[in-house]
């Protein structure tokens, strides 16, 4: 792999950079594969060998090879997420500084495809509200899919421009900005991206990162935390951004204490002295990453922009009584419609979700239960994966081959299955819905999720 000379020259003075070792790992053509287990769906094994733990993430494991995840039914039930190991350092940032917030309101502002959002949801346990936002419309579908697969009800998926968040003034306790960047940290995995790199592109990314942060700033509470990360090595997108946030928006830096044996390099921003953490593939098993934690001390902010929204409409008692039996502890939820879809929203975050749905374009709120048609609930895929389902709903356990037939939407034969709706499961976890009729089984796996690979 030929890396641009201007790129290498821009890294030479950075702490922890070793040119020969850096070029060497980029020329080897190999990189680690890692997954993060889902604690909600724990206790199950992945159908292939996990080799050793990711040092900075309790649920992270490296794999000895890269299997076909798409043909592993356990992946479809959301038992694990395939994620690059350095990104899992979010766990240290969250646990060391954000774990003290009780029932926090957390925003993941640049969330697709959902790696860090699924991680945040796991780190938050069952409490608090996570808003996973992705401004690029074409990327919201995959974010929503991954959040559904991960399960749980305390997530709202929105698709708003960062500037629209200004209408939620002083709202969030924690904000993750995993910013769009020049992507040099991923060159080893995506050699095609090398062609896009230029000093001008780095400058454009830096300016965009400042714009995003400035637009979001109003919605972070004073004393709230900004977790900032990129997968770029360039100081313009990292240390310089910390300086700009501290100096212009008003923030102080919080240090992290990674184990010295992990190979993570601490860096300081030139003006503010803010702490940052650099990941280099020649120093550890992972790709290039930068991460920092800042605490908001000041209030400079860009004015808010209002956008057209759909809103959550509370469900009447009669309709709520029709859907409640489908879920466990149904009284802990508020029921509402988002468009045609009926949602179960944890009471504890219902007011917050309603407020956000009135301010931003919302794609998902709580768990989509399904649609009511002539007083019958047509259950949603999200309900199957949520972990909320009541034990009175019939289930059909599938073998690995049957589970694969199911996600491929091939014909299923399940002898002796009782008529009506049933949840199909794999290794004890919900996979999707079938409706058993006289002489045939209707497969309700979403068409858009169908697996084509044989
Ligand atoms: N956090 C994600 C994860 O861990 O799976 C990865 C996020 S990726 C580094 C950055 C995201 O920012 C992309 O999904 C991209 O679509 C989004 N993005 C692009 N332009 C943006 C903008 N102007 N404002 C906010 N987000 C933007």
């Amino acid at each position: 792999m030929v890396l641009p000379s201007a790129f290498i020259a821009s890294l030479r003075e950075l702490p922890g950079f070793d040119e020969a070792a850096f070029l060497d790992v980029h020329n080897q053509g190999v990189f680690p594969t890692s997954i993060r287990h889902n604690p909600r769906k724990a206790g199950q094994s992945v159908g292939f060998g996990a080799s050793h733990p990711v040092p900075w993430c309790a649920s992270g494991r490296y794999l000895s090879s890269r299997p076909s995840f798409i043909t592993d039914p356990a992946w479809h039930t959301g038992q694990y997420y395939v994620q690059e190991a350095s990104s899992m350092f979010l766990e240290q940032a969250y646990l060391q500084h954000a774990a003290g917030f009780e029932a926090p309101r957390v925003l993941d502002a640049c969330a697709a495809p959902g790696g860090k959002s699924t991680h945040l949801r796991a780190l938050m346990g069952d409490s608090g509200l996570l808003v996973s936002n992705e401004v690029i419309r074409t990327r919201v579908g995959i974010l929503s899919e991954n959040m559904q697969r991960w399960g749980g009800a305390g997530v709202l998926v929105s698709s708003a421009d960062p500037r629209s968040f200004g209408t939620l003034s002083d709202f969030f306790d924690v904000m993750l900005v995993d910013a769009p960047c020049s992507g040099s940290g991923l060159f080893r995995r995506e050699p095609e991206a090398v062609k896009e790199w230029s000093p001008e592109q780095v400058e454009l990314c830096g300016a965009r990162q400042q714009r995003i942060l400035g637009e979001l700033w109003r919605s972070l509470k004073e004393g709230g935390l900004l977790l900032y990360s990129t997968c770029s090595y360039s100081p313009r997108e990292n240390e310089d951004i910390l300086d700009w946030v501290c100096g212009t928006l008003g923030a102080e830096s919080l240090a992290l204490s990674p184990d010295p044996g992990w190979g993570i390099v601490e860096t300081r921003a030139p003006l503010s002295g803010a702490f940052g953490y650099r990941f280099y593939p020649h120093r550890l098993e992972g790709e290039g990453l930068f991460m920092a934690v800042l605490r908001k001390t000041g209030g400079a902010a860009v004015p808010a922009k209002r956008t057209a929204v759909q809103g959550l409409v509370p469900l009447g008692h009669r309709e709520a009584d029709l859907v409640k039996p489908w879920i466990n502890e149904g009284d802990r939820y508020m029921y509402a419609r988002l468009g045609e879809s009926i949602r179960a929203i944890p009471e504890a975050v219902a007011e917050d979700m309603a407020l956000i749905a009135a301010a931003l374009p919302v794609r998902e709120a709580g768990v989509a239960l399904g649609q009511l048609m002539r007083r019958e609930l047509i259950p949603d895929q999200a309900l199957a994966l949520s972990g909320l389902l009541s034990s009175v709903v019939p289930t059909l356990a599938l073998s690995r081959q049957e589970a694969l037939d199911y996600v491929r939407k091939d014909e299923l034969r399940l002898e002796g299955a009782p008529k009506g709706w049933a949840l199909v499961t794999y290794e004890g976890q919900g996979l999707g819905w079938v409706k058993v009729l006289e002489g045939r089984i209707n497969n309700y796996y979403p068409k858009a999720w169908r697996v084509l690979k044989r």
Side-chain angles (χ1 to χ4, degrees):
M1 174 185 303
V2 180
L3 295 170
S5 53
F7 168 63
I8 294 296
S10 72
L11 309 188
R12 281 201 183 108
E13 301 303 317
L14 294 178
F17 182 69
D18 172 338
E19 185 169 338
F22 184 84
L23 292 175
D24 195 40
V25 287
H26 281 81
N27 285 327
Q28 282 166 10
V30 287
F31 50 82
T33 297
S34 44
I35 58 165
R36 196 167 31 73
H37 286 281
N38 184 345
R40 287 187 73 85
K41 303 184 178 185
Q44 305 296 321
S45 61
V46 237
F48 35 80
S51 67
H52 54 289
V54 175
W56 43 85
C57 174
S59 52
R61 294 285 177 281
Y62 293 102
L63 304 182
S64 39
S65 59
R66 192 174 176 89
S68 161
F69 297 110
I70 198 76
T71 53
D72 179 18
W75 179 83
H76 291 276
T77 62
Q79 289 182 50
Y80 62 91
Y81 189 95
V82 183
Q83 189 181 31
E84 190 285 302
S86 301
S87 299
M88 300 181 196
F89 187 62
L90 175 65
E91 179 152 320
Q92 297 300 319
Y94 192 90
L95 294 182
Q96 289 182 32
H97 291 298
F101 289 104
E102 209 175 302
R105 290 165 169 170
V106 179
L107 169 65
D108 181 358
C110 310
K116 295 192 182 64
S117 266
T118 52
H119 199 178
L120 281 170
R121 195 52 271 183
L123 294 166
M124 291 163 67
D126 269 338
S127 78
L129 167 68
L130 173 65
V131 176
S132 298
N133 181 67
E134 171 55 48
V135 64
I136 309 284
R137 289 281 162 83
T138 50
R139 289 171 59 82
V140 189
I142 187 66
L143 171 64
S144 160
E145 193 178 319
N146 282 330
M147 297 317 291
Q148 288 176 42
R149 221 173 254 130
W150 197 250
V155 180
L156 180 145
V157 177
S158 58
S159 180
D161 187 284
R163 201 160 159 197
S164 309
F165 281 88
T167 55
L168 298 167
S169 210
D170 296 320
F171 191 82
F172 293 104
D173 299 294
V174 180
M175 179 190 282
L176 168 65
V177 177
D178 184 32
C181 69
S182 60
S184 47
L186 298 179
F187 281 171
R188 187 161 67 146
R189 287 170 181 253
E190 296 163 13
E192 285 301 296
V194 177
K195 289 189 214 124
E196 309 288 315
W197 192 93
S198 69
E200 294 73 29
Q201 189 222 14
V202 169
E203 178 51 40
L204 278 175
C205 289
R208 181 168 57 182
Q209 287 147 1
Q210 287 176 200
R211 195 180 69 236
I212 292 171
L213 289 161
E215 290 173 345
L216 292 169
W217 202 240
R218 184 192 285 266
S219 66
L220 183 62
K221 286 180 186 165
E222 190 143 350
L225 300 183
L226 167 67
L227 314 181
Y228 179 74
S229 58
T230 72
C231 55
S232 159
Y233 297 107
S234 298
R236 171 68 182 96
E237 302 178 71
N238 297 322
E239 287 87 346
D240 293 2
I241 297 292
L242 303 187
D243 274 344
W244 183 79
V245 175
C246 292
T248 307
L249 298 180
E252 62 188 11
S253 166
L254 300 180
L256 294 170
S257 21
D259 183 310
W262 292 347
I264 299 163
V265 176
E266 183 180 288
T267 129
R268 307 293 293 267
L271 303 177
S272 61
F275 294 94
Y277 298 87
R278 289 184 160 270
F279 287 63
Y280 294 101
H282 56 277
R283 294 192 162 268
L284 42 75
E285 270 188 279
E287 305 308 317
L289 177 92
F290 178 89
M291 194 168 281
V293 184
L294 301 177
R295 184 176 10 224
K296 178 171 172 177
T297 55
V302 174
K305 176 181 147 195
R306 298 206 171 268
T307 28
V309 295
Q310 184 170 228
L312 280 171
V313 182
L315 212 60
H317 286 298
R318 280 209 197 128
E319 287 181 312
D321 287 344
L322 290 174
V323 298
K324 231 187 248 185
W326 285 76
I327 62 174
N328 222 347
E329 300 185 85
D331 288 333
R332 285 186 51 223
Y333 299 86
M334 173 265 205
Y335 298 89
R337 265 182 219 278
L338 183 67
E340 289 304 307
S341 162
I342 293 172
R343 306 279 160 161
I345 295 174
E347 282 286 1
V349 295
E351 216 173 290
D352 280 356
M353 283 206 189
L355 198 78
I356 298 170
L360 304 177
V362 165
R363 176 72 74 103
E364 307 287 343
V367 172
L369 300 182
Q371 295 192 19
L372 276 174
M373 286 179 133
R374 281 179 250 109
R375 298 176 62 78
E376 181 194 6
L377 183 74
I378 312 299
D380 196 286
Q381 177 65 12
L383 176 60
L385 296 165
S386 66
L388 261 62
L389 208 62
S390 154
S391 54
V392 304
V393 177
T395 59
L396 296 168
L398 302 187
S399 66
R400 184 183 161 79
Q401 187 54 52
E402 287 166 341
L404 277 173
D405 291 343
Y406 176 74
V407 295
R408 286 171 175 148
K409 285 174 109 27
D410 287 347
E411 197 181 336
L412 273 184
R413 296 201 168 277
L414 303 171
E415 300 306 331
K419 288 203 192 63
W421 287 107
L423 176 78
V424 291
T425 64
Y426 177 70
E427 292 186 346
Q429 303 296 331
L431 185 62
W433 296 105
V434 291
K435 193 167 188 187
V436 184
L437 305 169
E438 190 65 54
R440 74 166 200 275
I441 288 176
N442 283 352
N443 181 335
Y444 277 78
Y445 199 62
K447 280 198 192 85
W449 295 20
R450 180 183 184 182
V451 174
L452 298 173
K453 189 172 175 200
R454 295 276 147 187

